Amino acid sequence: MNRPPIPAELRRAVLVEAGHRCAIPRCNNTDIDIHHIIPWSQCKKHEYQNLIALCPLCHRRVHKNEIDRKSLRQYKKLLVSEFSFSDSLSFQSPPIEIKRKLSHSDLSQTKVGFDFEFPDFKDPAARIVSRNIELWGNELLVEYLKGLEVLRKNPMPPEPIIVWLRGRYEVVRRDSYVISLRYTIERFSNYAAHRGIETRVQNFIINPFQPLTILELIESKDSLKQLAELARSELLSSNERKRDHDLVIRGTMPKYENFMLFNFHEYALEFTFERYQIGCGAEGISRIYLHYHMLNAIVKPDVLDILQQHDGFSESMFTREK
């Protein structure tokens, strides 16, 4: 079995958790590897709670059994608890209302620009979420700047280059247990006649902190098949519109990539299907809500238990619609 790469969301979260330094106390080396506490050969999966940032030297010490697994787990446990105290609250990005922004503009080119907003959560437990999203925004900015450099060297490159990017978010749920955001990313390339729009999501459990992608949410591949059947049933039985059966089946095949866009509400899991995924372009974006009681055999039990808890401070769109 080939070892798949660690998903970007998990790698980013592990690096933010450790402050982009080795997790071993007082090491402070910034040359970082991502280590599986329980070896990959045994677990065969990437999970946030099993990943820790180590420098190459400490990584070798672990493999020589000079640092045991119990110690690694203790070091990882300390990282999040220390985050709120070590965070100086001084982001690199200037504040805009209750948001912060990463931006770049080139006054010599009117159709060039980067504008990415992200939330500035003040409470200590949620600040690691803000840091994760800021780092994601920086990754997009680096990608954008690399494209501009290519254009400066060759005004007519063979591949399209993103010359304009705008990121806006909506807080779908925020409480003591979960933070769930939905992003709209608008892009415009040098060869495009129209802007491209895509949905991206950011989901986090607060305590214990864990970023959640579809791989961490779904119990197994068999559970993914159940989810696909449930989603199809909801889409085809909807009274909102008459959907093309074959297109719905095609867009809800039991593949992880078909269910990557999800958000948490107080009482339901919301899935977003992009334009053209389950219908023609004119139908636009489609969304379905699956109540948590429908997901007992689909979502991992420990995650589902957390999702069903709430403390009255949620900003859930679903509850407002109710």
Side-chain angles (χ1 to χ4, degrees), residues 33-39 50-54 59 62-63 72:
D33 300 331
I34 304 297
H35 173 70
H36 291 74
I37 298 174
I38 296 176
N50 192 47
L51 299 174
I52 190 168
L54 298 175
H59 203 169
V62 168
H63 285 291
L72 290 178

Side-chain angles (χ1 to χ4, degrees), residues 7-230:
E9 292 87 349
L10 293 187
R11 176 175 289 276
R12 185 185 306 122
V14 173
L15 292 174
V16 170
E17 172 190 70
H20 289 75
R21 295 178 181 274
C22 180
I24 304 301
R26 292 182 292 279
C27 176
N28 288 326
N29 196 326
T30 57
D31 183 12
I32 297 300
D33 300 331
I34 304 297
H35 173 70
H36 291 74
I37 298 174
I38 296 176
W40 168 263
S41 59
Q42 298 179 27
C43 64
K44 299 293 186 184
K45 55 186 175 180
H46 303 303
E47 292 183 313
Y48 174 77
Q49 300 297 341
N50 192 47
L51 299 174
I52 190 168
L54 298 175
C55 71
L57 177 59
C58 290
H59 203 169
R60 287 196 296 271
R61 291 180 63 198
V62 168
H63 285 291
K64 291 179 181 178
N65 295 321
E66 295 176 8
I67 303 174
D68 61 20
R69 293 181 193 175
K70 184 176 181 180
S71 298
L72 290 178
R73 293 197 180 281
Q74 186 64 29
Y75 294 149
K76 184 172 177 69
K77 184 178 179 181
L78 290 173
L79 288 173
V80 173
S81 63
E82 292 174 350
F83 184 88
S84 59
F85 298 102
S86 61
D87 184 13
S88 66
L89 308 187
S90 57
F91 284 83
Q92 296 178 358
S93 312
I96 297 180
E97 297 177 349
I98 60 171
K99 305 175 182 178
R100 292 187 181 268
K101 177 186 284 190
L102 292 165
S103 61
H104 177 274
S105 61
D106 188 337
L107 297 179
S108 66
Q109 302 186 60
T110 58
K111 293 184 178 180
V112 168
F114 182 95
D115 187 304
F116 179 89
E117 292 183 354
F118 64 96
D120 180 2
F121 296 127
K122 295 298 184 182
D123 48 301
R127 290 197 64 75
I128 193 170
V129 172
S130 296
R131 289 295 191 187
N132 270 270
I133 299 175
E134 183 186 29
L135 182 56
W136 172 45
N138 272 298
E139 291 170 1
L140 293 176
L141 177 58
V142 168
E143 178 185 351
Y144 161 81
L145 292 174
K146 286 181 178 178
L148 293 190
E149 186 62 29
V150 171
L151 279 180
R152 290 190 183 99
K153 295 177 180 178
N154 180 9
M156 297 294 291
E159 299 293 332
I161 300 295
I162 299 299
V163 296
W164 185 85
L165 186 145
R166 182 175 185 261
R168 296 293 183 266
Y169 69 88
E170 171 191 2
V171 179
V172 177
R173 175 177 172 181
R174 179 192 173 193
D175 54 31
S176 300
Y177 304 97
V178 172
I179 293 179
S180 182
L181 297 94
R182 177 166 52 241
Y183 263 88
T184 299
I185 304 294
E186 300 177 64
R187 305 173 188 253
F188 196 90
S189 77
N190 57 323
Y191 290 146
H194 305 283
R195 64 180 177 174
I197 301 177
E198 68 170 313
T199 302
R200 301 280 291 273
V201 298
Q202 295 285 325
N203 295 296
F204 303 88
I205 288 176
I206 301 303
N207 188 19
F209 176 77
Q210 181 180 358
L212 283 180
T213 65
I214 189 65
L215 292 173
E216 289 77 44
L217 180 72
I218 301 301
E219 180 73 31
S220 65
K221 287 188 175 181
D222 287 338
S223 301
L224 184 61
K225 294 177 182 178
Q226 291 179 264
L227 174 61
E229 293 173 0
L230 188 58

